[in-house]
Amino acid sequence: MNQEVIAKAEEIINGKTGYIGGGMEGYAALSLIDENGYPTTSTLTIVKADGIKWLTFATSPDENKAKRVEKCSRASVCINSTEYNITLVGTIEIVTDMKTKKDMWLEPMGCGEHWTGYDDPNFCVLRFETERYSLFVGYESAQGTLERSREKNSAGL
């Protein structure tokens, strides 16, 4: 049962990556701890993901999100609709190496509207890695933890 719910959640997340349409269909809510110790939430486009294991977002190093990640790496991501609620809890880091930035650059997704290119010093990637999950998909639920793996995948993440 858990594996079926996880597979459905992963299909939903992977279907939202690199979304270039209108509306909120490609967004996730990212919650971070602010400088005063309070949770803050903002919506971001999911650039790439590996199901519930990891997700990436694009931002600038001088944005509040990146500054918050520098101070506290604990984070939560929520993706929801009237049909599902996918909540992931884990850690997040700022990634600035050129290979990852190039892999995460998606021109049609609007990156070009905010930055001059993947080598722009004001472009960085936030990489979220899941530690535990709470899923409600197709009127079925699953909760659990993921084993942490710091191995890099083929995309260099």
Side-chain angles (χ1 to χ4, degrees):
M1 170 89 90
N2 265 6
Q3 290 307 318
E4 291 173 21
V5 176
I6 291 170
K8 290 176 186 176
E10 290 183 334
E11 183 178 330
I12 291 167
I13 293 170
N14 291 336
K16 292 182 175 298
T17 61
Y19 183 74
I20 57 172
M24 297 296 287
E25 290 84 2
Y27 290 93
L30 172 65
S31 296
L32 302 167
I33 304 299
D34 73 9
E35 57 280 355
N36 297 313
Y38 289 92
T40 61
T41 303
S42 55
T43 54
L44 293 164
T45 302
I46 304 167
V47 176
K48 291 189 180 180
D50 183 8
I52 66 170
K53 296 173 193 74
W54 58 261
L55 295 85
T56 59
F57 308 97
T59 192
S60 294
D62 58 349
E63 291 286 330
N64 282 334
K65 290 176 279 303
K67 290 176 182 177
R68 291 174 179 145
V69 169
E70 286 178 342
K71 293 186 184 287
C72 181
S73 65
R74 292 179 292 168
S76 180
V77 173
C78 182
I79 303 160
N80 70 347
S81 78
T82 57
E83 291 137 19
Y84 55 81
N85 186 324
I86 299 166
T87 301
L88 310 173
V89 176
T91 58
I92 193 164
E93 65 181 332
I94 300 169
V95 183
T96 58
D97 70 89
M98 284 300 161
K99 181 182 181 336
T100 301
K101 288 172 56 168
K102 185 176 182 179
D103 289 342
M104 296 299 115
W105 184 261
L106 296 176
E107 185 67 43
M109 206 177 83
C111 286
E113 293 177 23
H114 302 286
W115 304 284
T116 59
Y118 69 87
D119 55 349
D120 187 325
N122 289 317
F123 171 67
C124 69
V125 174
L126 299 179
R127 183 181 190 277
F128 173 86
E129 188 170 332
T130 302
E131 293 179 6
R132 65 181 196 258
Y133 57 88
S134 178
L135 312 172
F136 180 75
V137 182
Y139 297 100
E140 296 178 30
S141 61
Q143 295 180 343
T145 58
L146 295 179
E147 287 194 31
R148 301 289 307 240
S149 172
R150 280 303 186 197
E151 294 177 20
K152 304 292 183 188
N153 68 15
S154 60
L157 295 174

